Amino acid sequence: CLDACFTQKRRKGTGSGRDPPRTHPDTVFVAEEVVQSMEAEVDHRRGSERVQNRTREEDTIKPGLKVPNSVLDGCNDSFKAADERRQKASTQFFADTGLMALLCRHDRVLWLANMTSAGEKQHYALALIHQLFEHLPPLVTVGLLYDIACQLHRSIKKWGFLGNLAERLTFAISVFHAFGHQWPCQVAYHPRKCPGFGLSDGEGCERFWSSIQRLIPSLRVSGVCLHIH
């Protein structure tokens, strides 16, 4: 399961310098350079879109997707997380605006990424997924539960993110968020209707955020991320 949290912020320091890097040998944080590299790739692949007029696509089911464009557009309009331009945290006051986590079926953290943008941008999710595949055998497939899995699936198919790794991904929407999606999307992406997900609810990240909420006061005033295990 995959999700972002904007309560685990870190304020900008009064000084201009950064603390010396202190990386734990068993860190679960994805390296800053890896996240930045994925951001650059996403911006590059989407570059042509910025010079074109933004119009609604023809209402068809694109190859590899499960529902028509009109349904995906409706889901996109329903969720704040799907709007990458929506500000959820101020970059004026915060250096790190939140965390994005990737957890296993048993609610154990696999990887975390520090977010530095005001919105929930897709390159954080893509960086975490790519990091996961780096540690899996080449034939392993992954079932991914995410609040806005339909939107991530659409972007991966549209822009070719993750390359051949995308063929090894199956998408579903976390249970408690599924009912906020369009009805056809619920039929196609609800984990109870997708083979292979069993009784996984995809809400492990929410339980993880609840368990670490006591860290908010201390981490908000800490120096540049101490990567912990």
Side-chain angles (χ1 to χ4, degrees):
C1 60
L2 182 71
D3 195 19
C5 177
F6 284 88
T7 60
Q8 297 286 344
K9 303 180 181 72
R10 183 181 67 81
R11 293 188 183 127
K12 285 187 175 180
T14 55
S16 59
R18 290 170 61 105
D19 295 339
R22 297 178 60 190
T23 304
H24 193 284
D26 293 325
T27 182
V28 294
F29 279 84
V30 177
E32 184 178 3
E33 298 77 23
V34 173
V35 176
Q36 291 174 346
S37 175
M38 182 60 73
E39 181 180 15
E41 180 181 347
V42 169
D43 288 344
H44 174 72
R45 289 179 179 268
R46 288 178 172 172
S48 59
E49 183 186 63
R50 295 192 178 93
V51 297
Q52 298 172 357
N53 293 326
R54 293 175 179 265
T55 58
R56 295 281 182 174
E57 297 179 272
E58 184 183 356
D59 193 19
T60 59
I61 300 179
K62 297 293 186 181
L65 298 179
K66 300 179 179 181
V67 294
N69 291 321
S70 59
V71 173
L72 293 169
D73 290 338
C75 293
N76 182 76
D77 295 339
S78 299
F79 280 85
K80 294 180 180 180
D83 187 355
E84 294 183 309
R85 292 168 294 177
R86 184 184 293 271
Q87 290 195 2
K88 295 186 176 182
S90 171
T91 54
Q92 179 181 356
F93 302 107
F94 296 101
D96 294 328
T97 55
L99 292 174
M100 183 169 278
L102 183 70
L103 274 64
C104 75
R105 165 65 179 82
H106 308 96
D107 294 353
R108 295 297 180 264
V109 175
L110 298 176
W111 301 104
L112 292 169
N114 276 318
M115 295 191 295
T116 57
S117 60
E120 190 171 331
K121 296 190 177 295
Q122 286 185 344
H123 69 266
Y124 298 112
L126 294 169
L128 288 166
I129 295 169
H130 189 273
Q131 183 81 358
L132 173 64
F133 276 115
E134 288 288 310
H135 293 77
L136 294 177
L139 297 180
V140 169
T141 57
V142 173
L144 183 69
L145 289 141
Y146 185 30
D147 300 354
I148 49 173
C150 59
Q151 303 300 314
L152 183 61
H153 190 192
R154 179 194 214 178
S155 293
I156 288 174
K157 288 297 182 182
K158 181 176 181 179
W159 302 108
F161 299 141
L162 299 178
N164 295 332
L165 297 179
E167 303 303 319
R168 295 162 56 189
L169 275 171
T170 301
F171 295 88
I173 297 170
S174 48
V175 169
F176 296 148
H177 292 79
F179 298 106
H181 286 256
Q182 302 293 305
W183 172 242
C185 189
Q186 294 182 39
V187 173
Y189 286 98
H190 197 292
R192 299 294 183 269
K193 304 181 188 301
C194 297
F197 286 93
L199 296 178
S200 297
D201 61 16
E203 301 294 346
C205 290
E206 303 291 350
R207 291 185 280 272
F208 174 58
W209 305 136
S210 177
S211 70
I212 65 170
Q213 62 180 342
R214 66 184 185 279
L215 298 177
I216 293 174
S218 57
L219 292 181
R220 190 154 292 185
V221 296
S222 68
V224 174
C225 51
L226 297 180
H227 289 177
I228 59 175
H229 176 51

